[in-house]
Amino acid sequence: MSKRSVLASLLGAARGLGAAALVPRLLPMVLGPQRDLGSEELGPYLGGGGDARVREMSPGLSEREGQVMEWDRAEEAERTWRWLQGLPARFEDVETASDDGTRLAGHALACCPGSARWLVFAHGYHDNWRAGLTYARRFCEAGFNLLLVDLRAHGASGGDWVGCGWLDRRDLVAWARWAAARAGEGASVVLMGISMGAASCLMACGEKDLPPQVRACVADSGYSDFLRVAEVVVGTGSLGTPLVPAHPMLDVARRRLARVPGGYDLALARPADALARTRVPVLLVHGEGDAVVPVSMARELAAAGTGHELMTFAGAGHCCAVFADPGRYWDGVLGFVGCWA
């Protein structure tokens, strides 16, 4: 039985069981280490399961709109495959450590060895570094070297608990230092993430010791407040899980996670607070059909602080704007990055 099936069964059982009894079983599955992340060579979006992922994340699309998005996804997969095969360099396994000693795994590609520009990319929940392959070719062609990381408690990185952006903010500060040191003089670093990775990048931007070489941040489908988006997911079943009351389930989970070794308070995962104090220029990208992270959260993020930019894409679901209108997406993203990095 798959992890999602087990989780669905347990959530379904929540209708008849007390949250206090169920949370100890659910919490390690949901926020414990996420290792069974598949082996798609091109990642979860460009790999063989990409069409199903795009359809699942964009439930409001018409049949024709869905077909166009699938065609765009397939075309990018083919181009990315050809690009990877033609590269003289290959991804190298690299690592660093976070403040708390957690070992972090990354995958670096010096595809532009004469350039001091680096992209640091962070994937979403229950994915791994290969999710960054959706964006890798375009950034390489724009003159960036690539560092695609496994977030803590994902893939090859250590960590006992998924960070939800709060723990990961310090990890991304460490990776930004790594990239700046690797690039050397004239280093120019861009942070980019999708979903939870986007939230992690946004929170890193609020850290006082983020290296000054970080020139810009692109956040695709990021949330403003983890607990609020968890209420949406649990209360609506937007990730395919059975409908259960968000409370007291989340309240019990929050208290328990705060008490376990290595745990933390989920209420601290609020990227909106970080954006109110960041010096880093931020571009927010969001699909208007996102049923996981409502587009209202992107507008809330854009209003936090000053100078942040927002692009929305009609009909696109969670992390699917890149396939909804690739031309507009990349004109916007690379145009923004080019102004700062």
Side-chain angles (χ1 to χ4, degrees):
M1 183 179 289
S2 70
K3 182 172 183 176
R4 173 166 285 191
S5 298
V6 173
L7 178 59
S9 297
L10 287 171
L11 285 173
R15 294 189 179 95
L17 294 175
L22 194 61
V23 165
R25 297 176 64 191
L26 279 174
L27 194 62
M29 293 184 64
V30 177
L31 292 181
Q34 307 291 305
R35 307 297 184 199
D36 54 332
L37 303 181
S39 57
E40 292 278 8
E41 191 167 358
L42 291 180
Y45 291 93
L46 298 186
D51 280 345
R53 167 83 61 115
V54 168
R55 288 281 186 169
E56 181 182 19
M57 293 294 102
S58 300
L61 292 178
S62 68
E63 183 63 26
R64 181 181 178 280
E65 289 171 331
Q67 289 172 351
V68 170
M69 190 174 286
E70 288 171 2
W71 188 90
D72 288 335
R73 187 209 65 82
E75 182 179 42
E76 185 58 40
E78 175 63 24
R79 290 181 176 179
T80 298
W81 176 256
R82 292 199 306 266
W83 167 72
L84 286 171
Q85 298 310 301
L87 284 172
R90 290 291 179 264
F91 279 100
E92 58 179 302
D93 295 338
V94 299
E95 64 179 60
T96 191
S98 195
D99 297 347
D100 62 0
T102 299
R103 186 188 66 83
L104 304 171
H107 307 269
L109 179 65
C111 50
C112 301
S115 173
R117 304 167 87 197
W118 277 80
L119 171 74
V120 178
F121 182 89
H123 60 81
Y125 171 73
H126 198 65
D127 277 334
N128 61 24
W129 69 277
R130 292 186 185 276
L133 291 175
T134 299
Y135 311 86
R137 178 181 68 87
R138 302 275 193 160
F139 271 95
C140 178
E141 291 175 350
F144 284 85
N145 297 295
L146 308 171
L147 174 62
L148 314 182
V149 306
D150 280 332
L151 291 175
R152 69 165 52 211
H154 287 78
S157 285
D160 296 325
W161 298 101
V162 171
C164 299
W166 174 249
L167 300 181
D168 314 278
R169 80 197 195 287
R170 300 303 307 166
D171 303 345
L172 284 171
V173 169
W175 278 125
R177 290 178 183 145
W178 183 98
R182 174 71 175 261
E185 186 176 355
S188 186
V189 178
V190 171
L191 301 181
M192 181 176 181
I194 58 173
S195 192
M196 192 178 77
S200 302
C201 290
L202 294 174
M203 295 206 70
C205 287
E207 296 297 286
K208 292 182 179 179
D209 59 345
L210 184 71
Q213 293 90 344
V214 176
R215 312 293 189 192
C217 173
V218 179
D220 186 329
S221 305
Y223 45 79
S224 57
D225 181 318
F226 175 77
L227 278 177
R228 281 171 47 211
V229 83
E231 288 177 346
V232 173
V233 171
V234 174
T236 66
S238 58
L239 287 179
T241 52
L243 293 176
V244 297
H247 300 284
M249 184 78 66
L250 291 176
D251 307 295
V252 175
R254 177 187 170 191
R255 290 197 299 270
R256 185 172 183 85
L257 183 61
R259 293 197 303 264
V260 299
Y264 60 99
D265 185 352
L266 288 167
L268 295 171
R270 279 185 45 84
D273 294 343
L275 274 195
R277 59 179 181 268
T278 184
R279 61 159 180 84
V280 179
V282 172
L283 173 64
L284 302 157
V285 181
H286 218 94
E288 294 177 11
D290 194 331
V292 178
V293 179
V295 68
S296 59
M297 283 198 163
R299 298 191 176 103
E300 181 182 343
L301 288 168
T306 59
H308 311 313
E309 297 184 25
L310 171 63
M311 295 177 66
T312 63
F313 290 77
H318 193 56
C319 302
C320 292
V322 66
F323 304 123
D325 189 344
R328 178 169 169 254
Y329 185 97
W330 286 111
D331 283 348
V333 169
L334 295 180
F336 174 83
V337 166
C339 288
W340 299 103

